[in-house]
Amino acid sequence: MNVGILGLGLIGGSMARAFSKAGHTVYAVEQDESISAFAQLAGAVHGVLDADTIPACELILLAIYPGGCIRWLEANGASVSPDALVMDLCGVKEEVCSHCFPLADQYGFTFVGGHPMAGSHNSGFKASRSNLFQGAPMVLVPAKFDEMQLLQRVKDALQPCNFGSFSVCTAQEHDRLIAFTSQMPHVLSNAFIKSPTALGHKGFSAGSYKDLTRVAWLNPQMWAELCMDNRENMLFELDAYIQNLEKYRAALQNEDTQALIALLDEGKRCKEEVDG
């Protein structure tokens, strides 16, 4: 299979490594030509994704920022084979799918929104690995939900990644949930580490500090775009979080130990409930 990949960061680079390792031919395009050259030397990429190779690709994966994915497909959609499957791998779906579904209809290829639930606080091709998606969940957003053959086609196409499970939802449902499970943790971690006390943490921090601050190390440009594209859902989650924090603050301010115990117990029970 000929696979085209837009972007060779952590996700795109790991896709390239996985498909190349499985014996497929990988064409890629990356803004930084030195990364493209390194990826070819590493054996993850076999050539450039351009006007000559786009028509030959049976699978095209869009793995850059949402706006960049949309612009690339607008510029190159006419060159994509009608037999091709095109997927984005972005962290938001409404913005991408609302533009890419019509492009697929216009040019005759198949587009499915995709979001691999895998990653790392490290970024770039240097952090990519062929087994990044091993056992991970994959979320799919198809244009129609009753096309079982299409879903099987997607699963077959992504087999080299060895995803552990697939789930299907609307773009709206995806973005509502991902605001809570992905974008909010990055914002909260990034805000938490700004405390002046953080400068003296060494020797006084253990697992809870590491868990909470791991994703404060992020790509500011990418996460700003993702949060802005999902602005309404993010505002809802932030408002809910701030309202809850104010309850903890009030209990401390009022020296109300019983209220604080109740709040902490409520949070513990919520964790038990949502995680089973």
Side-chain angles (χ1 to χ4, degrees), residues 25-101:
T25 300
V26 177
Y27 300 106
V29 59
E30 166 60 45
Q31 188 174 20
D32 188 335
E33 293 184 3
S34 66
I35 294 177
S36 295
F38 182 76
Q40 291 193 46
L41 286 173
V45 173
H46 304 96
V48 179
L49 183 65
D50 56 19
D52 293 327
T53 56
I54 290 172
C57 291
E58 298 139 270
L59 174 65
I60 296 178
L61 302 169
L62 310 179
I64 60 173
Y65 303 166
C69 290
I70 295 167
R71 289 189 292 273
W72 187 90
L73 201 54
E74 288 174 338
N76 296 281
S79 299
V80 176
S81 168
D83 297 324
L85 172 63
V86 180
M87 296 184 65
D88 83 283
L89 303 174
C90 299
V92 293
K93 285 288 153 282
E94 281 196 78
E95 178 70 10
V96 177
C97 290
S98 65
H99 287 83
C100 294
F101 285 146

Side-chain angles (χ1 to χ4, degrees), residues 6 66-67 71 95 167-168 180 189 207 213 236 245 269-270 275:
L6 173 65
R71 289 189 292 273
E95 178 70 10
S167 58
V168 179
F180 173 76
S189 178
T213 60
F236 172 83
L245 283 180
R269 286 186 284 107
C270 285
D275 287 351

Side-chain angles (χ1 to χ4, degrees), residues 85-88 93-94 96-106 109-114 139-151 153-154 167-172:
L85 172 63
V86 180
M87 296 184 65
D88 83 283
K93 285 288 153 282
E94 281 196 78
V96 177
C97 290
S98 65
H99 287 83
C100 294
F101 285 146
L103 289 170
D105 290 339
Q106 179 181 349
F109 57 82
T110 300
F111 179 85
V112 175
V139 181
L140 302 176
V141 179
K144 299 178 181 178
F145 289 84
D146 57 354
E147 297 184 21
M148 297 306 297
Q149 288 183 329
L150 172 59
L151 297 179
R153 179 185 175 188
V154 172
S167 58
V168 179
C169 66
T170 66
Q172 294 78 11

